[in-house]
Amino acid sequence: MTELKALLFDVDGTLADTERDGHRVAFNHAFEEAGLDWRWDEALYGKLLAVTGGKERIRYYLAEFNRDFQMPENADEFVAGLHKSKTKHFTNMLREGKIPFRTGVKRLLEEAKAADLRMAVATTTTPENVSTLLEANLGVDWADWFEVIAAGDIVPNKKPAPDIYTWAMEQMNLRPVECLALEDSANGVKSAVAAEIPSIVVTVNGYTKDEDFTGASLIVSQFGDGDSASEVIRGSLDSGTMVTAQGLRALHAQGAA
Ligand code: XBP
Ligand code: MG
């Protein structure tokens, strides 16, 4: 049986519930600042989340929901400029402490560190968003927690492609069977499955709770903490009412060859 060596954490929706009141709001600020009448309400944003990556999501919106918009000549520059502005607004919200870690995340990180589990981030968002979120929630030593930050455009293809997980494992010199991925979305699960990671834990949120998580080992409402219990949606949680580092080791042992 191959021992669990590393936890690979998704960011948006997993470490923090960033989409509805974070990224979505930041996109709208950027559109307003650019003098565009685009407004992504909660329902539309839920549809746009089918596409990962902020720049890719803007293009998807124009292609599927705003075909009348006349894209400027320098389309790449236009989209990149909007996304840069959006990232400025999003990181400001993070620095203002508006987007905390989800329940149980800090506890799980501490348990994993104490259990000598290696940790990395594997996300579609930008490195700047990751470092700002981690510093806001873990302090100035945030980089001590994660060996690798695999984020955004570091790979050619974003989730559901496996690239970001494969890149992270290559950097850590780890095999998929030595890893466990923690995700929140169908795109994320597909990415981890395609990267041949055998153990995948999903913590759902408002946007992803009804998605198809085929390939996931365990689906929960949250990681749980103190008197805020984790509810099991699919699979079994041997560690009582919380997702714990030891519980993840046991889950991995059941699934890994
Ligand atoms: C979620 C995403 C990201 C964010 C927006 O990433 O798909 O694109 O929605 O962030 P993950 P950017 O769940 O993999 O963390 O605008 O920086 O892409
Ligand atoms: Mg996610």
Side-chain angles (χ1 to χ4, degrees):
M1 178 193 70
T2 306
E3 187 198 359
L4 177 64
K5 290 196 178 141
L7 300 181
L8 309 181
F9 286 89
D10 165 58
V11 172
D12 293 298
T14 301
L15 290 183
D17 206 348
T18 57
E19 296 291 0
R20 189 192 65 190
D21 300 333
H23 288 299
R24 181 183 68 87
V25 172
F27 276 112
N28 286 332
H29 284 323
F31 301 152
E32 193 173 354
E33 205 167 73
L36 297 165
D37 64 355
W38 310 349
R39 288 298 172 272
W40 290 357
D41 65 20
E42 291 180 29
L44 172 59
Y45 194 67
K47 293 177 185 154
L48 297 176
L49 280 171
V51 171
T52 65
K55 296 189 288 295
E56 295 81 352
R57 189 165 301 141
I58 291 170
R59 287 179 175 276
Y60 175 61
Y61 161 70
L62 293 174
E64 296 301 319
F65 299 91
N66 188 355
R67 294 197 178 122
D68 295 341
F69 178 74
Q70 191 56 47
M71 182 71 98
E73 276 288 298
N74 54 347
D76 287 349
E77 213 174 297
F78 170 72
V79 170
L82 276 180
H83 192 248
K84 187 163 183 263
S85 166
K86 172 262 175 182
T87 300
K88 174 194 68 181
H89 288 289
F90 183 69
T91 50
N92 285 344
M93 294 165 86
L94 292 172
R95 276 187 284 273
E96 288 159 13
K98 288 182 177 171
I99 306 179
F101 273 171
R102 288 189 66 181
T103 302
V105 166
K106 181 77 183 297
R107 170 190 57 75
L108 185 55
L109 295 180
E110 287 165 343
E111 288 179 6
K113 197 169 192 177
D116 291 328
L117 283 169
R118 299 165 65 185
M119 290 188 273
V121 156
T123 175
T124 306
T125 193
T126 62
E128 184 183 359
N129 287 346
V130 177
S131 58
T132 311
L133 172 74
L134 295 181
E135 180 159 0
N137 286 279
L138 295 173
V140 290
D141 299 332
W142 63 270
D144 296 349
W145 292 81
F146 297 97
E147 255 176 73
V148 167
I149 303 290
D153 296 333
I154 196 92
V155 291
N157 308 300
K158 292 185 167 76
K159 299 175 184 176
D163 302 35
I164 200 72
Y165 277 109
T166 303
W167 189 87
M169 292 186 286
E170 282 167 358
Q171 299 303 308
M172 298 171 83
N173 193 24
L174 284 169
R175 292 174 295 137
V177 74
E178 297 171 307
C179 300
L180 182 148
L182 299 104
E183 270 288 351
D184 74 301
S185 70
N187 277 329
V189 170
K190 287 189 184 105
S191 176
V193 168
E196 300 180 350
I197 297 169
S199 307
I200 304 167
V201 170
V202 175
T203 172
V204 300
N205 55 61
Y207 276 129
T208 67
K209 62 185 172 43
D210 299 322
E211 290 186 346
D212 174 6
F213 298 117
T214 301
S217 324
L218 171 67
I219 303 168
V220 293
S221 59
Q222 56 161 336
F223 292 140
D225 208 10
D227 53 6
S228 178
S230 170
E231 285 161 40
V232 175
I233 297 166
R234 193 180 80 207
S236 61
L237 183 62
D238 298 344
S239 43
T241 59
M242 292 189 283
V243 174
T244 64
Q246 290 315 323
L248 292 178
R249 272 196 194 284
L251 184 76
H252 176 269
Q254 288 157 23

